[in-house]
Amino acid sequence: MNLRRPRLFPATGLIAVLAVLAVGSRLWGNTLVEGALTEALLYLVLVVGLSIFVGNSGVVSFGHIGFAAIGAYASAWQTCCTGFRGVFMPGLPTFLLELDMPVVTAALLAGLLAALVAAVVGIAIMRLGGIAISIALLSLLFIVKSVYENWDSVTAGQSSLVGLPLYVDLWVALAWAAGAIVVAQIYQRSAFGLKLRAVRDDEAAARACGVTPWIQRLIAFVLSAFVAGVGGALYGHYLGTLAVSIFWLDMTFVTIAMLVLGGMRSLTGAVVGTLAVTATREILRSLERGVDLGTLHWQAPQGSQEIVLALILLGILVFRPEGLVGDRELGVRKAV
Amino acid sequence: MPEALSTRAVGVRFQGLAALDRVDLTLPRGEIVGLLGPNGAGKTTLVNVLSGFQRPDAGQVLLDDHSLERAGPESLARRGVARTFQSVRLFDRLTVTENAEMGALVHGGSRTRARAVARQAIAFTGLESVADRLAGSLPYALERRVGIARALAQHPRFLLLDEPAAGMHDAECLDLVALIRRIPDAFECGVLLIEHNMSVVMATCASLHVLASGRTLATGPVDHVRNDPAVIDAYLGAA
């Protein structure tokens, strides 16, 4: 019987593992490793957000990075470049120009804006079925990019926005990643989560149980957009600069790779996948910079990162389509 | 008027072809009615109409005395009409308990409450030993039982069973008969049973409704219907 597990397991276990990794990297003192882990934790916020929708609905979303972009810019509108905000983004309404929002509140409000956009577009998109939803969500990513790239007066268009407060370090990233995991866990365990997984498995049978499929999809979509929006906001404050092109196909591909590699339907999978892909990328990145083998200097060709990652993903899809951990969760015996 | 789920002159056409034509069926609460007919007679279409999956082109569906004009399956489920599917349609990646829980959640409330209701349905259908297994991993006969447990967890006033004995061998059929016979009293609900297996039908149903080519051929108490020459000719006699 795994029904009587502590309410927040595996979330607490996963957070404990991440905390140990964070403390370990700090004690080790290797800034490269600490940086990589910080980035992994930020990606984890995005991936966990994505998994709230994808994992429970079974619908792959190519659009969530659009919500990350919305969140990132929304946070910039509230916190960026005090004093110069009107210079970079003259189109902002007056109340935003003068605003000096605490960064945490800004991140939450950024998530709310992403959630609001998700609620509005979701009312239409969530009624679609099958592959049509995924294509509509991809279109959403394109729309967000086009709008933000051309909305010069509030996004600085195709040039970069600089001067975001750099407050995201290892511990901030860890705290938000933990928060995202807890939110995902609570949703997964809720009646809403169960209903959506039922819709995922059999839509007609779910309807016969009184469930309206698109409404359940919409609830998860809005919640996951919120988390992805917060993730985007944090990423902006980690980089310190924003460009719309950051939130594009690369990031979409990497986050989906993380989720699929680990196991789409499990929170543990999201964590394992994110860590595994980040580690792989870091190793390849350093190979691209070049390594010294005795007298020999060898450098992996530029772009190996993407190619090797794609090959790994392909391998997983062929040989282990359920991902590294499948449906399993940390500490929970697999129901047969 | 006693509580009943019924159709009045219901008609359904698929591309000009009449799947159902002026069918009057009444399922009183507390009784088991058998729905018979050769393949293609419109049995499943009728169940789809009664459960809101198929909107009739003509006629009405009545719950007690209320017309269910535009009610979809979700709304009918909430009003106490539960069904199983010929193709079972379990939530394969959920456990047996969670499947039943989904039934219980039809009336809202917390998962804790739903789980308690689910456990009762699981106990009633004798599925305790597989309660924590994934539904998709079960053998066929057990899958069908889970489908019934899920529907019963809705505490329905009317239960529509679409070929629950399909693919079962004799011993399993006997178990199923015993189970179905206990349902009306235990859940105070009416049961509409679509079944090809005549021994299952005869052992459970008090009255029968026979369809052929979308029309009602005969309806009434079992003894009356089974001696009806039209029925013998069109359906029973064919065997």
Side-chain angles (χ1 to χ4, degrees), chain A residues 1 189 201-202 207-208 210, chain B residues 74 78 89 93 111 132:
Chain A
M1 292 285 282
R189 285 286 174 92
D201 282 2
D202 195 305
R207 297 182 72 195
Chain B
E74 300 91 337
R78 290 185 207 118
R89 289 184 171 275
R93 291 179 188 281
R111 278 196 71 178
D132 289 329

Side-chain angles (χ1 to χ4, degrees), chain A residues 38 44 54 57 127 129 154 163 170 272 274 276 286 299 310 314 334:
Chain A
T38 308
L44 190 55
V54 176
S57 74
R127 290 169 193 265
V154 298
L170 181 63
V272 169
T274 304
S286 69
Q299 197 174 3
L314 208 58
K334 189 180 166 108

Side-chain angles (χ1 to χ4, degrees), chain B residues 148-173:
Chain B
I148 296 173
R150 183 174 68 191
L152 285 176
Q154 299 184 10
H155 280 272
R157 297 170 58 219
F158 302 97
L159 173 63
L160 318 174
L161 299 174
D162 197 347
E163 299 202 20
M168 288 189 183
H169 56 66
D170 290 350
E172 289 166 340
C173 280

